[in-house]
């Protein structure tokens, strides 16, 4: 990891308010397929075709089957070093918010709690009629609500609006943060993809961690083109070393 990682680690020792935005790339090293990578396909379908209200209305069984397939992969996956490092950042940095586009619940399993799941959570379901929420596991190919309505995964599908409170919280924090780490997202899906630009616009120092260039790369202040599960633990330990050195220097001055 070149000097860029060191620069990021130094900044993390003095950051006032840190926003972290993650996408499917942060779960890649846990073995979970990303959306737009070559492994992002399921059978002959693309995510954009199945993650829609129209697909669910047309063929709810197929859509449930896709989610059950994904739940199976996610259940067998473990949080990776990137998830764990991000959970550590939340402990070390008081003013912190993690905004994730992922629905895989792995940030929560890794210990993250200051967390906004912009696109919902694949292990929750909700009623199409009365909006009642249910936790998985649910039984049956076409789970039903107590009200008789049909249950669907509690995720935000393409063409659906995001939860306004989540949006307010994420956008509000992005406006006020002085540093944003944007990790493992292709920056394609709106409105999440606007968040790093909003942070930059309002004066934040934006760091992108992604092995491939994205829509954000040209605007980021620092780009680290490496897998996040490799580079985040290194940045975290450098940050801790710099903080300890600063504390020692302070102790010697006192
Ligand atoms: C909305 C939940 C208002 C479901 C997801 C036309 C018609 C209708 C809408 C639109 C339209 N055109 C645009 C829109 C808006 C649309 C949109 O943005 N479409 C895109 C495709 C252009 N957005 C919406 O519809 C949103 N709602 O706008 O409401 C509205 C209402 C009505 C009409 C218009 C507007 C709702 C969007 C939410 C969709 N739901 N997920 C589910 O999961 O089943 S989004 C889905 O994509 C996932 O949540 C995923 O997280 C997210 C974003 O993708 P990424 O996370 O970035 O993943 P991706 O695979 O793309 O990239 C992975 C990256 O990781 C890569 O860059 C790779 O290089 C990197 N990587 C890989 N390995 C590593 C790594 N990085 C670091 N380390 C590694 N090791
Ligand atoms: Zn109901």
């Amino acid at each position: 990891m070149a000097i860029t990682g060191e620069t990021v680690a130094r900044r993390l020792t003095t950051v006032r308010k840190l926003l972290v935005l993650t996408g499917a790339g942060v779960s890649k090293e846990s073995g979970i397929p990303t959306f737009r990578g070559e492994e992002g396909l399921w059978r002959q379908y693309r995510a954009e075709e199945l993650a829609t209200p129209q697909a669910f209305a047309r063929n709810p069984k197929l859509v449930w089957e896709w989610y059950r397939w994904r739940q199976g992969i996610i259940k067998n996956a473990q949080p990776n070093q990137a998830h764990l490092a991000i959970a550590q950042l939340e402990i070390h940095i008081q003013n912190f918010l993690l905004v994730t586009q992922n629905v895989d619940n792995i940030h929560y399993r890794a210990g993250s709690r200051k967390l906004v799941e912009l696109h919902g959570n694949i292990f929750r379901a909700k009623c199409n009629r009365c909006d009642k929420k249910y936790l998985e596991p649910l039984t049956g190919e076409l789970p039903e609500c107590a009200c008789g309505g049909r249950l669907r995964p509690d995720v935000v599908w393409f063409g659906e609006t995001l939860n306004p409170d989540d949006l307010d919280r994420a956008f509000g924090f992005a406006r006020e943060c002085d540093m944003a780490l944007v990790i493992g997202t292709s920056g394609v899906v709106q409105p999440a993809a606007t968040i790093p630009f909003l942070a930059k616009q309002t004066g934040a120092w934006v760091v992108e961690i992604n092995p491939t260039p994205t829509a954000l790369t040209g605007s980021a202040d620092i780009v680290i083109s490496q897998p996040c599960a490799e580079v985040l633990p290194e940045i975290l330990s450098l940050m801790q070393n710099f903080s300890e050195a600063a504390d020692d220097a302070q102790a010697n001055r006192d």
Side-chain angles (χ1 to χ4, degrees), residues 34 36 48 86 90 103-105 145 203 250:
T34 63
R36 288 161 195 88
E48 277 84 0
I86 292 167
E90 174 177 327
V103 298
D104 59 24
N105 197 47
C145 174
Q250 185 60 44

Side-chain angles (χ1 to χ4, degrees), residues 103-132:
V103 298
D104 59 24
N105 197 47
I106 298 197
H107 280 304
Y108 188 84
R109 284 172 53 194
S112 291
R113 290 299 177 269
K114 292 180 178 174
L115 166 65
V116 174
E117 295 175 314
L118 274 185
H119 296 155
N121 188 308
I122 197 169
F123 293 108
R124 267 197 326 263
K126 69 178 180 184
C127 174
N128 244 355
R129 186 187 295 170
C130 73
D131 229 24
K132 184 171 164 28

